[in-house]
Amino acid sequence: MSYDEMLAAAKKAVSLAARLSNEVRKSLLVSDVWNKSDDSPVTVADYGSQAVVSIVLERELKNENEPVSLVAEEDSAELRKVAAETVLARITELVKDTLASDESYASSPLSSDDVLTAIDSGKSEGGPKGRHWVLDPIGGTRGFIRGEQYAIGLALLVEGKVVLGVMACPKLPLASTAAGINANKSSPEKVGCLFFGAVGTGAYVQSLNALDSPPVKVEVSSNDDPAKASFFESYHTPVPIHNTIATKLGIKESPIKINSQTKYAALSRGDGEVYLRFTRKARPESIWNHAAGSILVSEAGGKVTDAAGNPLDFSKGKYLDYKRGIVVTTQKLLPRLLKAVRESLKEEEEEEEKAASLKLH
């Protein structure tokens, strides 16, 4: 099967998952949201989206000679802890209704056990060999709950390299503008983007609500003046090094805070020039949070590296092998940005050493 055919299957899976998430979002119930054992929020849409993508990939790729390997965020263990038959029944109905909205799946029976099996098909570990799909079923769950930006990201790894990616951004305006990303003022028909790209072919976007509309090629910003650049970061406890890096680079604007991989999508079409993802403490980064977004930016002419300037390594399993932070930007700004990163990290290290020395005395 060609990458074009696999990309078509991925677009179908992601667009249907987005349809399910939109239905949940229209009437989000208190019982639709709970916290997992790690205290992170999860919703029926996270599980429903994962089940839909799993089922669609299995059916669309059934003529392949190997089973579908899916690396995904959720598993049914957390769902079973809720121990509520009504929750599972709601997820099952959501999945059934979503699949039924596509003519090719309209007559397919589906039980709750089928849905649990589909969710648990995402337990692959990935790795450097073979072919693995990587799914973020609802990226930015907190944003989803608040009615803000979220994304559904699906990518394909082949021999440890990302070769194609699809991302639905149901709340992202079709019009490209950094200022309008979080405005929520666009009319419904002008909101909802489906981004996609495959290695060597470029990145594209089309309306999520009109998939027969012609795709438009996207490219990163041509701006090479940091003073005019916009930079993205996640909603989280402030990370001081972000501001240090931005100041050294010469960025004057305050950061634009966006949930999920939507930041990658926005940067790929030129809504901003820099996305920084550093944390106060070192922690593992799941590959599903970056796989789809990284290839979109790369195919749009941008660069995605770790803090040392190395390409992200998706070949080590469920977690990235990377140095300290993640840097996403344009090719024009990358050298200056990495210089600012190096200087900022060195200053941070010196401050920590000074603080440790004072404690000893």
Side-chain angles (χ1 to χ4, degrees):
M1 185 176 281
S2 69
Y3 284 167
D4 282 347
E5 291 171 305
M6 286 189 279
L7 187 61
K11 287 175 66 178
K12 185 172 189 176
V14 170
S15 60
L16 284 171
R19 188 175 300 174
L20 181 146
S21 71
N22 275 332
E23 284 304 310
V24 174
R25 193 43 255 173
K26 285 177 185 175
S27 55
L28 191 65
L29 307 173
V30 173
S31 57
D32 287 343
V33 183
W34 63 95
N35 279 2
K36 295 190 283 189
S37 55
D38 64 359
D39 258 356
S40 64
V42 70
T43 72
V44 294
D46 292 78
Y47 291 107
S49 170
Q50 184 157 315
V52 165
V53 170
S54 172
I55 290 167
V56 172
L57 288 181
E58 287 283 355
R59 295 185 185 179
E60 296 296 316
L61 306 176
K62 62 188 175 188
N63 293 327
E64 292 293 282
N65 294 323
E66 58 187 81
V68 172
S69 171
L70 180 64
V71 185
E73 183 172 9
E74 311 301 345
D75 65 64
S76 71
E78 290 284 353
L79 180 57
R80 294 174 197 272
K81 286 179 186 176
V82 179
E85 288 186 13
T86 52
V87 173
L88 180 55
R90 173 151 163 77
I91 295 170
T92 302
E93 283 306 306
L94 284 165
V95 173
K96 286 169 68 174
D97 290 348
T98 301
L99 293 175
S101 69
D102 186 284
E103 291 182 0
S104 57
Y105 298 140
S107 60
S108 302
L110 199 69
S111 68
S112 292
D113 284 340
D114 293 330
V115 169
L116 290 172
T117 298
I119 292 168
D120 283 336
S121 74
K123 288 183 176 180
S124 170
E125 293 292 324
K129 301 294 183 183
R131 192 164 69 198
H132 307 282
W133 292 92
V134 181
L135 171 67
D136 191 3
I138 297 286
T141 300
R142 288 183 176 86
F144 172 77
I145 293 167
R146 294 194 296 258
E148 297 170 354
Q149 296 296 338
Y150 70 97
I152 299 159
L154 180 64
L156 177 63
L157 292 184
V158 176
E159 307 301 320
K161 304 289 186 183
V162 185
V163 298
L164 67 82
V166 177
M167 191 188 305
C169 303
K171 299 289 288 184
L172 188 66
L174 288 166
S176 178
T177 164
I181 289 173
N182 289 323
N184 281 330
K185 292 179 180 177
S186 300
S187 56
E189 68 272 12
K190 294 181 180 179
V191 173
C193 300
L194 184 70
F195 292 83
F196 59 93
V199 65
T201 65
Y204 300 83
V205 66
Q206 62 189 136
S207 170
L208 186 58
N209 302 310
L211 294 176
D212 54 351
S213 61
V216 176
K217 190 169 187 177
V218 296
E219 294 180 342
V220 296
S221 170
S222 60
N223 171 40
D224 61 359
D225 182 359
K228 297 177 181 177
S230 298
F231 97 88
F232 302 130
E233 66 177 3
S234 299
Y235 281 98
H236 47 44
T237 303
V239 180
I241 198 169
H242 283 184
N243 288 332
T244 306
I245 293 168
T247 300
K248 286 184 178 295
L249 184 61
I251 294 175
K252 298 187 181 301
E253 295 292 327
S254 298
I256 299 169
K257 295 182 181 293
I258 313 175
N259 298 291
S260 78
Q261 287 190 77
T262 300
K263 294 179 284 293
Y264 279 105
L267 196 145
S268 77
R269 70 176 187 183
D271 289 352
E273 289 79 15
V274 175
Y275 162 33
L276 299 173
R277 186 176 176 90
F278 287 72
T279 53
R280 285 175 172 267
K281 296 180 180 179
R283 69 177 190 185
E285 279 284 354
S286 303
I287 60 174
W288 50 75
N289 287 330
H290 302 279
S294 67
I295 192 167
L296 290 176
V297 168
S298 298
E299 286 301 311
K303 301 292 286 186
V304 182
T305 76
D306 65 13
N310 304 310
L312 300 186
D313 186 350
F314 291 90
S315 71
K316 298 296 195 290
K318 289 187 174 183
Y319 300 101
L320 286 173
D321 184 13
Y322 75 111
K323 299 293 184 184
R324 179 59 201 273
I326 294 171
V327 174
V328 187
T329 189
T330 67
Q331 293 196 39
K332 290 180 178 180
L333 290 177
L334 182 65
R336 281 174 284 176
L337 179 54
L338 288 176
K339 181 175 183 288
V341 168
R342 286 193 299 271
E343 292 174 355
S344 300
L345 287 172
K346 185 178 180 182
E347 288 179 10
E348 184 182 70
E349 186 178 335
E350 290 171 350
E351 287 294 324
E352 288 174 353
E353 288 176 356
K354 188 185 295 183
S357 176
L358 288 172
K359 279 185 179 179
L360 290 173
H361 295 87

